């Protein structure tokens, strides 16, 4: 069973950068996508970005385009989210997720989350 563990969250000032990491353990990840979601206090969890595990293709939610960059390291079973030009509205718990199916289906694996707090 694949387990996902996030790291790299913390406190940052507006305009600063943070890099989140997601490590997959319990076996090599062989699904189609890995991605990042976030949940701000009092709000539902929402999609941030995803990357094709084999293809490397990427997708982002509009609010982070041009500021965030998702990447992966297949050899080390790891994924990253480089977050630049952070804004207070980026404050949330960030979750790493993995998805087996290329099309349709749901996200199958989830990490425990890492808190990102951006102060103005």
């Amino acid at each position: 069973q694949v387990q996902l563990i996030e790291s790299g969250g913390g406190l940052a000032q507006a305009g600063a950068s943070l890099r989140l990491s997601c490590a997959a353990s319990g076996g090599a990840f062989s699904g189609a996508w890995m991605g990042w979601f976030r949940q701000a206090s009092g709000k539902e969890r929402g999609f941030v970005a995803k990357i094709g595990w084999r293809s490397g293709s990427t997708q982002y939610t509009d609010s982070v385009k041009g500021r965030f960059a998702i990447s992966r390291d297949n050899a080390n079973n790891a994924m990253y989210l480089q977050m630049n030009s952070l804004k207070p509205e980026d404050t949330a718990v960030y979750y790493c997720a993995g998805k087996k199916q290329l099309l349709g289906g749901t996200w199958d694996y989830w990490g425990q989350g890492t808190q990102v707090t951006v102060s103005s």
Side-chain angles (χ1 to χ4, degrees), residues 38-96:
R38 66 186 179 184
Q39 185 170 19
S41 180
K43 296 186 177 181
E44 293 188 353
R45 185 161 54 188
F47 169 77
V48 176
K50 68 178 183 181
I51 186 165
W53 193 244
R54 300 177 188 86
S55 67
S57 63
T58 59
Q59 294 180 28
Y60 298 89
T61 192
D62 286 346
S63 63
V64 307
K65 286 180 181 177
R67 301 189 298 121
F68 290 12
I70 189 171
S71 61
R72 86 241 193 263
D73 180 346
N74 298 68
N76 291 302
N77 260 354
M79 178 183 62
Y80 307 96
L81 186 68
Q82 178 66 42
M83 305 186 294
N84 299 325
S85 301
L86 283 164
K87 302 176 180 180
E89 51 263 43
D90 294 319
T91 295
V93 177
Y94 283 71
Y95 297 91
C96 168

Side-chain angles (χ1 to χ4, degrees), residues 6 36-37 60 65 78 81 94 114 118:
E6 304 95 338
W36 291 95
F37 291 75
Y60 298 89
K65 286 180 181 177
L81 186 68
Y94 283 71
T114 185
V118 183

Side-chain angles (χ1 to χ4, degrees), residues 17-38:
S17 299
L18 283 174
R19 188 188 193 215
L20 304 183
S21 299
C22 174
S25 63
F29 181 74
S30 59
W33 298 95
M34 286 194 78
W36 291 95
F37 291 75
R38 66 186 179 184

